[in-house]
Each structure stands twice: as structure tokens, then as C-alpha cells.
Amino acid sequence: MASISLADYPPELSKEEELYLISNLKDWSIAHGLAVRPAPAFVQPSQDPSGVLATTAPVTLFPSLFPASCFEEGLAIQRAYNELYSAIARDEAWLQSIVEELLGIDDFVTKLWQTHLMVKEEGYAQDLSLGLFRSDYMVHQDPSEANPAPSLKQVEFNTIASSFGGLSSQVSALHRYLLTIDAYPSSTSSIVKAEALQQSRSASSLAKGLAAAHKAYVSSQANRPLCVLFIVQDPERNVFDQRHLEYALLEENGVRSFRLPFGETLSHTKLDADRTLLYTPPNSPSTSYEVTTIYFRAGYSPDDYPKDEDWTARLHLEKSRAIKCPSILTHLAGCKKVQQVLATPHSPHLKRFLPDEKVAARVLATFAPIYPLDSSEAGREARRLAADPASASRYVLKPQREGGGNNIYRKAIPPFLEKLPETHWPAYILMEMIEPPPLTNAILRNGELQKGGVICELGVYGVCLWRDGSGAEQNKGEILESWEAGYLLRTKGDQSEEGGVAAGFGAVDSCCLVDG
Amino acid sequence: MASISLADYPPELSKEEELYLISNLKDWSIAHGLAVRPAPAFVQPSQDPSGVLATTAPVTLFPSLFPASCFEEGLAIQRAYNELYSAIARDEAWLQSIVEELLGIDDFVTKLWQTHLMVKEEGYAQDLSLGLFRSDYMVHQDPSEANPAPSLKQVEFNTIASSFGGLSSQVSALHRYLLTIDAYPSSTSSIVKAEALQQSRSASSLAKGLAAAHKAYVSSQANRPLCVLFIVQDPERNVFDQRHLEYALLEENGVRSFRLPFGETLSHTKLDADRTLLYTPPNSPSTSYEVTTIYFRAGYSPDDYPKDEDWTARLHLEKSRAIKCPSILTHLAGCKKVQQVLATPHSPHLKRFLPDEKVAARVLATFAPIYPLDSSEAGREARRLAADPASASRYVLKPQREGGGNNIYRKAIPPFLEKLPETHWPAYILMEMIEPPPLTNAILRNGELQKGGVICELGVYGVCLWRDGSGAEQNKGEILESWEAGYLLRTKGDQSEEGGVAAGFGAVDSCCLVDG
């Protein structure tokens, strides 16, 4: 059969081809835990009160095409990003200057900072920090050029609760399986081939990161059982993603872990006199585990703090001797404002944290320009760009607050700003739109097949374990472990006008590398 | 905490203990494919038309206690059972005598035999046969003795579609996981311990059996792609059980397989001039695979043959050069009547197939006495036993027909026989009841927890690949491969009066060995 061109990928499937692909995908996914708990709209909780049903996680039928050069660059610079963000997290004075700009704009960031100050007053009891990071990118091709070379542009950098590392390993294995059983038509054989499919080892590699922190932790008392504590949301539909890390932690590293809903923190943990964090499993009230590492898969969003008590819980955890993944300063280092000041044209900040010019230049090349809408020189340039419909069409206006949504796109920017009092303008930043190449794929979600144009977002995981410097030299410190930890490809339909992949699920995907 | 005694196992769980155990069980099972598609009563097909939902397979919360001596004996004699049943399958004349006794009693057996005769007329095109067997037992303790020693008594021997080998490996791993994470209260630590939990390697071992047949098959034409063909029911709720074998076949043995609903056999397969079986996947009409091995996971029950065409399909498959798992004679060797004549007291048949007296004695020791209700000497003894309420209370009356149900138990036998014309008596056999020790457990099924008395059935898998002798020496033959292939423990509530575990699902379980 004749080969199809890249532009025709993925091919239209005959009814029989689609049936074969989907029936094999459905069974493989459940047999290998590429699954989620069903959404309430699909299965009402009253129908399954004990929550035993599961369904295939939203996945793409085909691996999406991804330029090899961009994929390789994303993986190659992850250690530089680990270094960058661990350096930011160690630079309290610099972070303070960032947070101060958000006073009155972002209550959540302010509250996190206050929590930091309260812990600092007592003194931090742990100088090790763990980061399980994920740097998210899109491929950018300048639409004004004739044959634009693809480049990688950062969408955001996650320092807390970087998700999908568990499912990502499974979806790349799924696509490889589908290739092996000839579920992809032979017309695609010059594109979808074993050497083009990138296997993600994220589940194993992230678990190894948690194990590294666990082992670096110095216990305060001999013979007490040790554990890693997963702080989770409850209920959690994406539980299998997290469970794969737990299983890899146990099976490949011999490390015990427990899941603790964030809202139950104060009921089941306590601080010893030396601020050792002790966890008492409710099923075994006579056993206390010393927590070596707190892994936050909750607490990253204001929604996780409905009660004052939730902030008490966060403070309680931060005070402890356990290694935090992430520490509160690392959490703050991941706020949008940090990304913005690093990516502001002519910003002096990047070289502060990445003194090696070559390394800094490679990282800088992945930034899409971001402007503040304030009275600085860059701010004045931004106001000019945003007011003119011609230039505004290359930008997106985003609130500085954490959390997705409420973005204003392209030509809608000038009229929006006209109506907004100028005093409110600094609450927004202006970001150059990333222009991804046109791609199509099919997504299976809740049993429904959706086909059409898609946008892909590459996430590269990084593990970094470091020790803060002491006293006034906190920012010096030392990196003990740093590695790139696999990747995620997340894909969603491009129907929405959201330029970056917005908050929400999309589908898990894997990379099929192509030249470029 | 003080240890509990065996009689108190498993312990009552506190609410928190139960919550911890079940939440970990629910997640692990889906993450590892210990799953089934939900029953229509749980999820209506209209709610999930594309069938993406799955649920935890019915499982026991605890591994059930099982006497070590019985477990070890069951595994140890499996190779003798392989030898026995492959010898029976090779002895056409003997099988014919059995089938003739069922004329007019069992249409299904008769139809299978006729199919054999039709193939024989053309001549069999393949002299290799594969058996993936499962010998099912219960533990028997004579209630009339004071301290009865447990012994293993056979319930039935399966020569076709022996199921649960895929899930059995997973459930033994689940119970080990639950032990590792302390989901079993510490009061059980002297009972549920790593060395007592028996891991079943059935999925891997059965797949290796299919691979052995695949490799022993001599292709009729070079360069044609080869495959194993799973003949399946459609729909199949227990699909993951089968899928685990397919995945192990592919990943551990590099052997491709396809699933073909039995009812679609004639649409997608054809016989070459030399009776090579060619399978054309509907998704790839230009590719034909030569089928090395037909693995029947359908076709074992009259329900699978609603149309005449289904018998045509069976004949078509049997005629082919593919290795059958099982061949039609092997299928017939598994009929109840064979078990009955072997287990009739003073039967001469066992030594015909197992000339080694010591081996035959060990196999014989696992038979529960079975009597025909005919005019033979054993039949006359049976009539006496069945007519007297005192002796009848140790027996069950079973129809000779294949398929479960319609058994008459104990004291209900004499009045039942009184009403039945004597000419109909030979349609039944009388079997000594197996008296299992009292056990309790808890079963999670469709999200509901059921606790109480249970009955456990041990299944021991066996793989046997043999070559028939030729011509009149068919019964000689040669065993090429034979091994014990792991085990299954199946457990159900003892509420029903069904003495043996009846047809139907029960729950998958694993063995926790105890002395005895």
C-alpha cells in the first residue's frame, strides 16, 4: 500500500480498521491501568456508591507527530530548568520582590508567602527540597515566515503536583502495542515506526526521585518505620496516575507510601518535639510512621483551601522535618509571575540563576516573550502592542492570578483594554501567542470518538533534589540529584480559542518523531 | 497484638481497616487489569454503548486458608493428569465406547463425536494437539471422623477453555500487595505471611504453552505471517482474563494472536488446498495469516451453537492443519462421563492410561467415588446407596449431560428417584459429596461486600503438547511438552446447597497455606 504523507496523518480509518484499533485500545488500557474513575456525568455516584467502576483514560488513537529536534531539545535542557528553578526557590529575597508585586492581585500567592514567613520565624527544620517538575511546551512556527522552522516555546513550568507521569508511561506503551499488532494501517508504516515512537519512563523515574529524597532523609529516631506521604485530593478521579508512582515506589525502590486527603492532614499527622512529622494510618492506630517526604498532589490551588484549617494544615506540614515535594518557596517559584519576569524581553533575571551563558541562552530560546502591562519600559511597549489590532493579533492577554481561564485572545484585546480602567491593567500580562503547526488526531473519551484538529503540549519531567545553603547563604546550596525524568504529550481539540492548552484534561498522547 | 487462631481467620475488620483494605484493593485491581466488564445489571449497555467501563473482578479480600499438603499434592500430580488426559484423547476406540453410552442422553457429546467422524473420514491433517487443562479440586474432610485429615478430591477436569489463568496470576499478586502494605491486621501475621502466600504464574505459563504449540507447528509455506487464533464468545465480560494470556504471548514469546468471535469463523477464515487455516483480519483484508494454533475460549457449550452454521464452523476448524487447543477428541475426553467411569469403584480404566501403578494410585486418591445408575454391579450398589436416606445423605445425584445445575442433593435423592421412571435412571450418576472444611471470607463483587461461609475450589493448570501415533497406533503417540502451569483458587458463598462450586463466577482468590 502506498505511503501517506505527513500532511495526511493520521489516515482515515475504514470502519473495520477503527473497530480493530478501538477494541484493542479499550482492553489494553484497562489491563494496564491506563484508566480514570468515570466522571459523574458518565456514571452517577449513586449508581456506583463504592466507586469500583473505571474507564479508559482519555487517549489519542494515534501518537501525534512531533518534530524530533524540538523533542530532543526539550529533554536536553530539562536539567538546566531543574537548576534554574531550584536556584529561584533558594533565593528568598528575589522571590519576595516577586510576591510583593502580587500583593492585592493574587491572594493565594500572598497567603503562601505568609505561610513561608511563619515557618521562617520558627526556623526551617529541613534543608533538603525535592522537585518533581514538569516544563510544558508547544511547538511554535512563525506564521509570517514561508517555511518556518519549528521551535519549542514554554507554556508554563510546574513546580507542584506535576501530573500524568504515571499515565504517560502507559500511553506510550499503548501506542507501541497498537503498532506491534498492526492497528495502524500499513500506509503509515513510513511514519509510525518503532524507532519514531518515544517511550516515556516517567512513572519509574519520578518514583525514583521520591525514593532519592526518602533515602536522603535522616531519621530522628532509630527503628521507627518510615514512609512517603502523598497529600491528595478526595475524591480523585485521576487516581491511577498517582497509583502508578506509588507502585513503582514500592516495587522498584522498596519504599512504603500512604495517601492522605489534604483535608484530613491534622487528624492523622502530628509534629514531634523536634518537628518530626508522624503519620498514624487510621487503619492501624497503634503504628506511627515517620514521614520522610511529603508529596503534594493537592494544595496547589486555592480550591484546596476552603477552610482556614486548610491553611493551618499547610503550615503544619511546612514546619515539619519532612522533605517537601515541593517546599513552599519552590511552590512559589512556579507562579506565573516568575515565568513572566524571566520571559520579559531584556530581563536581567535569567543570568542571575543560570550564570553559564550558553545554558541560559538555550533556556531563553524556549521563552515566548511576555510583557507586563505596567509603567516600565517593557510595559509601555506592551501597551502599544496591545492597543493596535494588527499587533494584538499575535498576543494573548492573561490575568496574573494563578489558575486558568479568563484569557483574552488576539483582536479581542484592544476593545477589552479600552473598557478596563488603566489602574487594573497591571493585573494582566501580554504574552506572544505560540502558533502550533496544524495537526489532527482522534481522541477516545468516555467511549466517544472525537476527530479533528488538535493542539499538542509536550511536558518534560525533571527530578531535582537539593540542599539549601544555611543562614544568609541560603541561596548557595547544593544540588544532590538532577535528572530529566521522561515526558508527557497532552493533546486536545483545537475548537476552543484557548491558545495554550487550557486547564483541564485533554487526552494523553505520545510522540511520534518526525524530521524537523 | 495477639495472634488470632485459624478458626478466627479472617478477622473482623474495624471500619477503618476495611476502608483501607478496600480502597487499596479497588485501585490496585484496576491498575493491574484484575478486572471484568460490568454485568448488564450493574451498567446497562445503553449507558456505555462502546463498552469502555470496567470494574474490579469479583475477588476475596483475604487469601483463603488451604492445607499445604493438599496444595502441594495438587500441583505435583498435574503432570500425571496431563499424561492421563492426553492418553484418553489418543484412544479413539475407548472414547467411542464412552460416547455410545451417551447416545440419546447427551446431544452435544453426540454432535461432537459426529464432527470427529466427519474429520476422520477426510483424515486428520495435524497430529499435534495442545491441552491447556485445569483440574479442579475441593478439600475433603470426612465428617464421620473425629480429626479428619484433609485430602484433595477432584470436582472436574477441564480440557477446553480452562478460564481464569490470566486473572489468577493477578489476584495472588494483589493479596501479596495487600500484605506488603499492612492491609491485613497484625493479628493475622502468624497466618498471612509472605512464605504462606502462593503466587500463581498461570498467565505466563499458559501463554508459554500456546507459544510451544506455535513453534512446533510446521508452516506449509515460507514467509507467510503466522498467528495463534483465540476463538472467543462475543461479547465476553471476562475479556481481561484472556487478554493477559494474549499480552504474555506477545511480550514474553513474541507470538502474534487474534481474537475471532466463534460466530464469525466462516467469514474470516478459509482452508487452503492442503487444509492450512488462513485468517484474514477484517481490518486488513489484504493480509492472510497462517493459523498455527486454534485456542478455543468458545465452542465448549451447546449455547455456543445456536445455528447449524456453528457446527459447520467447528467442523471447518477441526479439519484444518492448525494445532487445536483442544482437539475435538480432547474436548470429548473432558466430558463428565469420562470422569465418572474413571472414578467408578474398581474401575479398570485408569490403569489402561496410567500404567505406572504408583502414579495411578496418586491420581486415584483424588477421585471421589462416582457410580452409574445402571444395571452393572456398581450400578446396583449405587441404587442401594441412593434409595436409603441414611446413605443418600453423603451423595449428590447429577445428570450425565454436560452443563451445570439440576443436581439433587442428599436426602432429596430417594424421593426424587421414586418419582423417576427407572428407564430414566441411567441419565444420572451418583457422586460422593465432597465435604469441605468450614471457611469464611469476604468477597467484593460489583462494589458490594459479602461476608460469610465460603467454599473454595482449587484449580491446577496443566500444559501438554503431544503428537498422536499414526494410523491404528494413534493411541501410542508421544508427549512433547508437559508441565504444571500454576493454579487458581475460586471461592463462593456457601449459602447455596450446591455441594461442588456450581457453574458461574464466584470470586477469584489465592491460597494461604496452612499445615495439614
Side-chain angles (χ1 to χ4, degrees):
Chain A
M1 193 181 285
S3 282
I4 60 165
S5 70
L6 289 176
D8 294 328
Y9 177 88
E12 277 292 314
L13 297 178
S14 71
K15 201 178 157 184
E16 293 291 0
E17 286 171 339
E18 189 174 292
L19 196 67
Y20 180 71
L21 195 161
I22 289 181
S23 64
N24 280 290
L25 183 157
K26 283 189 312 181
D27 289 350
W28 192 98
S29 58
I30 296 296
H32 294 80
L34 178 53
V36 292
R37 294 291 177 195
F42 187 18
V43 175
Q44 291 197 347
S46 61
Q47 183 186 354
D48 179 25
S50 49
V52 289
L53 288 170
T55 184
T56 298
V59 288
T60 59
L61 265 51
F62 290 83
S64 286
L65 303 182
F66 205 91
S69 61
C70 292
F71 182 83
E72 283 151 16
E73 182 65 6
L75 266 58
I77 61 175
Q78 185 55 39
R79 289 186 58 195
Y81 265 115
N82 291 347
E83 193 186 326
L84 170 61
Y85 275 87
S86 76
I88 293 172
R90 285 195 300 273
D91 199 333
E92 188 206 0
W94 188 84
L95 274 174
Q96 184 173 2
S97 70
I98 295 293
V99 170
E100 280 169 356
E101 289 192 50
L102 292 171
L103 286 176
I105 292 178
D106 194 319
D107 291 345
F108 184 59
V109 166
T110 305
K111 201 89 173 92
L112 288 172
W113 181 257
Q114 287 166 350
T115 304
H116 156 64
L117 291 179
M118 282 187 268
V119 182
K120 192 184 169 193
E121 201 169 299
E122 283 195 55
Y124 273 93
Q126 177 58 260
D127 59 359
L128 293 172
S129 284
L130 178 68
L132 297 189
F133 299 140
R134 199 187 69 217
S135 185
D136 290 339
Y137 307 94
M138 280 164 47
V139 172
H140 175 67
Q141 286 184 313
D142 189 331
S144 63
E145 290 181 35
N147 285 305
S151 64
L152 210 54
K153 294 295 175 188
Q154 191 176 53
V155 176
E156 65 178 1
F157 190 88
N158 302 284
T159 60
I160 185 167
S162 309
S163 55
F164 296 115
L167 296 189
S168 180
S169 294
Q170 300 303 84
V171 74
S172 57
L174 166 69
H175 287 154
R176 183 182 50 191
Y177 167 74
L178 291 172
L179 171 64
T180 307
I181 63 161
D182 301 315
Y184 298 135
S186 56
S187 63
T188 64
S189 62
S190 64
I191 300 170
V192 186
K193 47 195 174 187
E195 59 272 28
L197 293 192
Q198 299 302 304
Q199 299 306 299
S200 179
R201 51 195 168 71
S202 44
S204 217
S205 194
L206 293 170
K208 198 176 138 210
L210 290 168
H214 181 85
K215 281 157 197 169
Y217 177 88
V218 178
S219 176
S220 61
Q221 183 185 315
N223 299 325
R224 202 151 44 187
L226 305 176
C227 75
V228 170
L229 198 59
F230 282 48
I231 301 289
V232 298
Q233 295 178 340
D234 184 30
E236 172 60 83
R237 287 185 48 226
N238 194 27
V239 63
F240 304 107
D241 179 49
Q242 303 173 359
R243 286 292 201 178
H244 285 300
L245 299 194
E246 286 185 67
Y247 302 143
L249 192 55
L250 184 65
E251 285 156 31
E252 298 167 19
N253 303 278
V255 174
R256 283 293 302 277
S257 63
F258 290 93
R259 300 171 64 77
L260 177 61
F262 184 42
E264 296 175 23
T265 300
L266 296 173
S267 309
H268 303 300
T269 66
K270 64 173 188 192
L271 290 178
D272 237 356
D274 70 348
R275 288 198 266 158
T276 295
L277 184 66
L278 296 174
Y279 169 67
T280 306
N283 62 302
S284 180
S286 61
T287 317
S288 282
Y289 286 79
E290 179 166 348
V291 178
T292 65
T293 309
I294 300 166
Y295 178 40
F296 285 101
R297 289 295 292 254
Y300 55 85
S301 142
D303 299 342
D304 289 335
Y305 300 80
K307 303 193 300 282
D308 282 348
E309 192 189 288
D310 299 312
W311 282 107
T312 309
R314 180 73 186 258
L315 177 64
H316 169 85
L317 294 173
E318 298 297 333
K319 273 185 183 171
S320 79
R321 282 186 68 241
I323 298 172
K324 267 71 75 183
C325 176
S327 70
I328 205 158
L329 290 180
T330 309
H331 183 174
L332 283 163
C335 77
K336 273 189 199 173
K337 183 78 187 171
V338 168
Q339 184 191 11
Q340 176 209 317
V341 303
L342 293 174
T344 300
H346 323 298
S347 158
H349 298 292
L350 190 58
K351 67 167 88 67
R352 177 187 179 102
F353 301 112
L354 288 180
D356 183 318
E357 278 184 27
K358 279 186 188 163
V359 171
R362 282 176 79 176
V363 168
L364 182 64
T366 65
F367 292 165
I370 299 179
Y371 299 88
L373 281 172
D374 58 17
S375 55
S376 66
E377 191 184 338
R380 288 198 299 277
E381 191 181 339
R383 289 169 184 228
R384 276 194 304 277
L385 291 165
D388 178 349
S391 53
S393 69
R394 289 187 294 115
Y395 287 88
V396 53
L397 193 70
K398 294 183 173 185
Q400 294 221 34
R401 265 182 297 103
E402 292 301 307
N406 301 314
N407 294 345
I408 315 295
Y409 291 93
R410 304 184 193 262
K411 289 194 189 334
I413 298 173
F416 178 83
L417 285 177
E418 257 176 48
K419 284 189 207 138
L420 193 71
E422 275 205 39
T423 50
H424 287 47
W425 287 22
Y428 290 84
I429 58 98
L430 190 72
M431 181 173 179
E432 201 171 284
M433 288 290 287
I434 305 175
E435 308 279 1
L439 287 174
T440 61
N441 210 329
I443 290 171
L444 184 71
R445 190 184 173 86
N446 293 343
E448 285 170 29
L449 198 58
Q450 302 162 345
K451 300 178 195 177
V454 294
I455 290 172
C456 296
E457 191 172 314
L458 176 74
V460 181
Y461 296 98
V463 167
C464 193
L465 177 68
W466 69 89
R467 189 183 301 283
D468 287 338
S470 55
E473 302 254 281
Q474 187 220 359
N475 64 333
K476 293 288 190 291
E478 174 196 8
I479 290 180
L480 305 179
E481 302 280 1
S482 174
W483 65 78
E484 167 264 303
Y487 82 95
L488 163 72
L489 194 67
R490 214 165 15 153
T491 293
K492 60 176 289 218
D494 64 1
Q495 297 90 340
S496 82
E497 176 49 310
E498 303 268 284
V501 173
F505 204 110
V508 284
D509 192 354
S510 78
C511 288
C512 177
L513 297 192
V514 290
D515 287 344
Chain B
M1 195 181 285
S3 281
I4 60 165
S5 71
L6 290 176
D8 294 329
Y9 176 89
E12 276 292 314
L13 298 178
S14 71
K15 200 177 159 186
E16 293 290 0
E17 286 171 339
E18 188 173 293
L19 196 66
Y20 180 72
L21 196 162
I22 289 182
S23 63
N24 281 291
L25 184 159
K26 283 189 311 179
D27 289 349
W28 192 98
S29 58
I30 296 296
H32 295 79
L34 178 51
V36 291
R37 295 292 178 194
F42 187 16
V43 175
Q44 291 197 346
S46 62
Q47 183 186 354
D48 179 24
S50 50
V52 289
L53 288 171
T55 185
T56 298
V59 288
T60 59
L61 266 51
F62 291 82
S64 287
L65 303 182
F66 205 90
S69 61
C70 293
F71 181 83
E72 284 151 16
E73 182 65 6
L75 267 58
I77 60 174
Q78 184 56 38
R79 288 186 59 194
Y81 265 116
N82 292 345
E83 194 186 326
L84 170 61
Y85 275 87
S86 75
I88 292 173
R90 286 195 299 275
D91 199 333
E92 190 207 0
W94 188 84
L95 274 174
Q96 184 174 1
S97 70
I98 296 292
V99 170
E100 280 169 356
E101 289 193 48
L102 293 170
L103 286 176
I105 292 178
D106 194 318
D107 292 344
F108 185 58
V109 167
T110 305
K111 201 87 173 96
L112 288 172
W113 182 256
Q114 287 165 349
T115 305
H116 155 66
L117 291 179
M118 282 187 268
V119 183
K120 194 184 168 193
E121 201 169 300
E122 284 195 54
Y124 273 92
Q126 177 59 259
D127 60 357
L128 293 172
S129 285
L130 179 68
L132 297 189
F133 299 139
R134 200 186 68 217
S135 186
D136 290 339
Y137 306 93
M138 281 164 46
V139 171
H140 175 67
Q141 286 184 314
D142 189 332
S144 63
E145 291 181 33
N147 284 306
S151 64
L152 210 54
K153 293 294 175 189
Q154 192 175 53
V155 176
E156 64 178 2
F157 190 88
N158 302 284
T159 60
I160 186 167
S162 308
S163 56
F164 296 115
L167 296 188
S168 180
S169 293
Q170 300 303 86
V171 74
S172 58
L174 166 70
H175 286 154
R176 182 182 51 191
Y177 167 75
L178 292 172
L179 171 64
T180 307
I181 64 162
D182 301 314
Y184 299 135
S186 56
S187 63
T188 64
S189 62
S190 65
I191 301 170
V192 187
K193 47 196 174 185
E195 60 273 28
L197 294 192
Q198 298 304 303
Q199 299 306 300
S200 178
R201 52 194 168 71
S202 44
S204 218
S205 194
L206 293 172
K208 200 177 136 210
L210 290 169
H214 180 84
K215 281 157 197 170
Y217 178 88
V218 178
S219 176
S220 60
Q221 183 185 315
N223 298 325
R224 204 151 42 187
L226 304 177
C227 76
V228 170
L229 198 58
F230 282 48
I231 301 289
V232 298
Q233 295 178 341
D234 184 31
E236 172 60 83
R237 287 185 49 226
N238 194 27
V239 63
F240 304 107
D241 178 49
Q242 303 173 358
R243 286 293 201 177
H244 285 300
L245 300 195
E246 287 186 66
Y247 302 143
L249 191 54
L250 184 65
E251 285 155 31
E252 297 167 20
N253 304 278
V255 174
R256 282 294 300 277
S257 64
F258 290 93
R259 300 171 64 75
L260 176 61
F262 184 42
E264 297 175 22
T265 300
L266 296 173
S267 309
H268 304 300
T269 65
K270 64 174 189 192
L271 289 179
D272 236 356
D274 71 347
R275 288 198 266 157
T276 295
L277 184 65
L278 296 174
Y279 169 67
T280 305
N283 62 302
S284 180
S286 62
T287 318
S288 280
Y289 286 79
E290 180 166 349
V291 178
T292 65
T293 310
I294 299 167
Y295 177 41
F296 285 100
R297 289 295 291 255
Y300 55 85
S301 142
D303 300 342
D304 288 335
Y305 300 80
K307 302 192 300 280
D308 282 348
E309 190 190 288
D310 299 312
W311 282 108
T312 310
R314 180 72 186 260
L315 176 64
H316 169 86
L317 294 173
E318 298 296 333
K319 274 186 185 171
S320 78
R321 283 187 66 241
I323 298 171
K324 269 70 77 183
C325 176
S327 70
I328 206 157
L329 290 180
T330 310
H331 183 173
L332 283 163
C335 76
K336 271 188 199 172
K337 182 78 186 171
V338 168
Q339 184 192 11
Q340 175 208 317
V341 302
L342 293 174
T344 300
H346 322 298
S347 159
H349 299 293
L350 189 59
K351 66 166 88 67
R352 176 187 181 103
F353 302 111
L354 288 181
D356 183 317
E357 278 184 26
K358 279 187 189 163
V359 170
R362 282 176 78 175
V363 168
L364 181 64
T366 65
F367 293 165
I370 299 179
Y371 299 87
L373 282 172
D374 57 19
S375 55
S376 67
E377 190 183 341
R380 289 195 302 276
E381 190 180 342
R383 288 169 184 228
R384 276 195 303 277
L385 290 165
D388 177 350
S391 54
S393 69
R394 289 186 295 116
Y395 288 87
V396 53
L397 192 70
K398 294 182 173 186
Q400 294 221 36
R401 266 183 296 104
E402 293 302 306
N406 301 313
N407 294 344
I408 315 294
Y409 292 93
R410 303 185 196 261
K411 291 194 189 331
I413 297 172
F416 177 84
L417 286 177
E418 258 174 48
K419 284 189 208 138
L420 193 72
E422 273 205 41
T423 51
H424 288 48
W425 287 22
Y428 289 84
I429 58 100
L430 190 72
M431 180 173 179
E432 200 172 286
M433 288 290 287
I434 304 174
E435 308 278 1
L439 287 173
T440 61
N441 210 328
I443 289 172
L444 184 70
R445 190 183 173 87
N446 293 343
E448 284 170 31
L449 199 58
Q450 301 161 346
K451 299 178 197 178
V454 294
I455 289 172
C456 295
E457 190 172 314
L458 176 73
V460 180
Y461 296 99
V463 167
C464 193
L465 177 69
W466 68 90
R467 189 183 302 282
D468 285 339
S470 54
E473 301 254 280
Q474 185 218 2
N475 65 333
K476 293 286 190 291
E478 175 196 8
I479 290 180
L480 305 179
E481 303 279 359
S482 174
W483 64 79
E484 166 265 300
Y487 81 95
L488 163 72
L489 194 67
R490 215 166 12 155
T491 293
K492 60 175 291 215
D494 64 0
Q495 297 90 342
S496 81
E497 175 52 309
E498 303 269 284
V501 173
F505 205 109
V508 283
D509 192 353
S510 77
C511 288
C512 178
L513 298 192
V514 291
D515 287 344

